[in-house]
Amino acid sequence: MKQFAVIGNPIEHSLSPDLHNYVYKLLSINALYKKKKVFHSELSQIMDDLRTGELNGVNVTIPHKENVIEYLDEINPRAKTIGAVNVIHKNGDKLFGNNTDWFGFTSALKKNGIKVSGKEVIVLGAGGTSKSIIFSLKQSGVKKIVLLNRTLQKAEELQDDFVFPYSLDDSVQKIRNDSIIINTTPIGMQNEQCPIDLGLLHENQTLIDVIYTPMETAFLKLGKKIGAKTLNGLDMFIYQGLTSMDLWFGEDISKKVNFTQLNTYLKNKLC
Ligand code: NAP
């Protein structure tokens, strides 16, 4: 039986085992997917497990998407440009890193009719997921990305012709009543906090949170209440997971799965 896992810390919130094991069962794939709480110091052991075949593939989540890169033999060119890896598999005797988060985000925008082409978008957070989202936004033809991060220097490292870095403390000056705001920080995942002052939220905004546990963070909850368009991270999560499976099994597993049924199954797990 093939063995897969998602590695990260914290990891309790992850629905990846539910998503993957649902599909394995549906398609009679002889495989098992687990979640593993992994500290930075344990990453090399995970790589050994991949090399020896004890593990056949892993998804990588917070906070390791960037720091796994140094352990890998090859990186997909897009993942290299992004600077973050969320899926690893063995190719021959080499460990290969890829990124399906950006595609997951692009697909989620498309599915939910959110258009960013030619627009200014506010991105909160400058970690691994933020990098994938910035890549996705550029691919989708965004005009300008206002990147707000707690540590200004990390946002400045991502500055280019599209990305304009600021401190999260500048949100009052940068957020407008009709902004598209994407939260890529984990704020709201384990508490009722919001990455920006709730008073900055407005009915004409589009609010996107990459968090899916809980399904509605305080950011989305208040936004929805006042009439803003909101989107949580579940669709992105499903698309990145299905694309990971396509990479591991070398076939179009994603095309054999009914997205709506899978979405409903996972929503029920979260309720
Ligand atoms: P990460 O690399 O550790 O980056 C976290 C970012 O959030 C950093 O910019 C960090 O700012 C900021 N941040 C963290 N705590 C903060 C706080 N208390 N106040 C202000 N800023 C804070 O994490 P990641 O891998 O990008 O993951 C971020 C989130 O995305 C997680 O909740 C994860 O579950 C979610 N995610 C969802 C999907 C999906 O498919 N829906 C996919 C991937 C990730 P500093 O630079 O100042 O440290």
Side-chain angles (χ1 to χ4, degrees):
M1 181 185 276
K2 290 193 168 178
Q3 302 285 337
F4 297 92
V6 55
I7 59 165
N9 183 18
I11 199 66
E12 297 75 22
H13 70 283
S14 178
L15 265 195
S16 287
D18 298 282
L19 186 159
H20 289 261
N21 290 324
Y22 170 94
V23 177
Y24 300 161
K25 196 171 169 196
L26 182 80
L27 302 178
S28 302
I29 296 170
N30 188 23
L32 183 67
Y33 190 109
K34 294 180 182 166
K35 51 182 148 191
K36 281 180 190 281
K37 184 172 183 170
V38 170
F39 294 96
H40 196 159
S41 58
E42 296 169 317
L43 284 176
S44 64
Q45 179 59 50
I46 295 291
M47 301 306 144
D48 286 349
D49 291 348
L50 282 162
R51 286 186 196 282
T52 58
E54 212 159 299
L55 278 169
N56 297 92
V58 294
N59 282 128
V60 184
T61 189
I62 185 171
H64 300 313
K65 286 174 199 264
E66 293 155 291
N67 51 37
V68 287
I69 289 177
E70 61 173 299
Y71 297 92
L72 303 174
D73 302 312
E74 284 180 27
I75 314 275
N76 162 280
R78 281 199 200 98
K80 197 178 254 178
T81 303
I82 293 168
V85 158
N86 74 303
V87 52
I88 303 174
H89 69 280
K90 209 167 125 182
N91 195 355
D93 59 354
K94 294 193 166 155
L95 292 186
F96 196 81
N98 210 323
N99 186 302
T100 62
D101 279 339
W102 80 271
F103 180 74
F105 187 73
T106 301
S107 306
L109 287 187
K110 206 168 161 189
K111 182 170 190 298
N112 292 279
I114 297 173
K115 296 191 172 65
V116 295
S117 178
K119 295 186 181 165
E120 175 181 310
V121 175
I122 310 266
V123 174
L124 311 174
T129 309
S130 174
K131 289 179 175 178
S132 306
I133 282 169
I134 288 170
F135 183 83
S136 159
L137 292 170
K138 287 180 188 169
Q139 294 282 113
S140 302
V142 77
K143 185 172 84 180
K144 177 178 177 182
I145 298 167
V146 174
L147 181 61
L148 302 170
N149 196 45
R150 176 177 61 181
T151 310
L152 177 60
Q153 191 200 333
K154 268 185 83 179
E156 283 173 344
E157 285 165 13
L158 303 180
Q159 179 169 12
D160 62 19
D161 290 349
F162 291 93
V163 179
F164 294 79
Y166 299 94
S167 158
L168 197 53
D169 296 334
D170 293 331
S171 51
V172 184
Q173 289 86 45
K174 297 294 161 195
I175 290 176
R176 299 193 314 247
N177 285 351
D178 62 349
S179 289
I180 299 171
I181 309 172
I182 305 168
N183 176 40
T184 76
T185 78
I187 303 170
M189 196 160 78
Q190 289 176 320
N191 51 43
E192 283 285 308
Q193 288 173 5
C194 183
I196 51 170
D197 188 323
L198 287 172
L200 294 172
L201 300 185
H202 192 275
E203 60 180 332
N204 293 336
Q205 292 167 341
T206 299
L207 310 177
I208 304 171
D209 206 321
V210 295
I211 296 172
Y212 61 88
T213 46
M215 289 225 287
E216 256 182 15
T217 54
F219 174 60
L220 294 191
K221 214 180 280 177
L222 183 74
K224 198 173 183 179
K225 196 168 160 196
I226 62 174
K229 183 174 173 65
T230 60
L231 176 65
N232 70 19
L234 189 59
D235 285 354
M236 171 187 174
F237 167 71
I238 295 174
Y239 283 119
Q240 66 74 30
L242 291 175
T243 315
S244 297
M245 279 184 244
D246 289 347
L247 289 171
W248 289 331
F249 296 101
E251 51 181 306
D252 282 345
I253 297 237
S254 49
K255 296 205 174 88
K256 297 179 187 162
V257 177
N258 181 309
F259 187 93
T260 310
Q261 280 173 7
L262 176 53
N263 183 291
T264 305
Y265 172 77
L266 293 173
K267 265 188 194 149
N268 287 338
K269 288 267 169 197
L270 289 167
C271 289

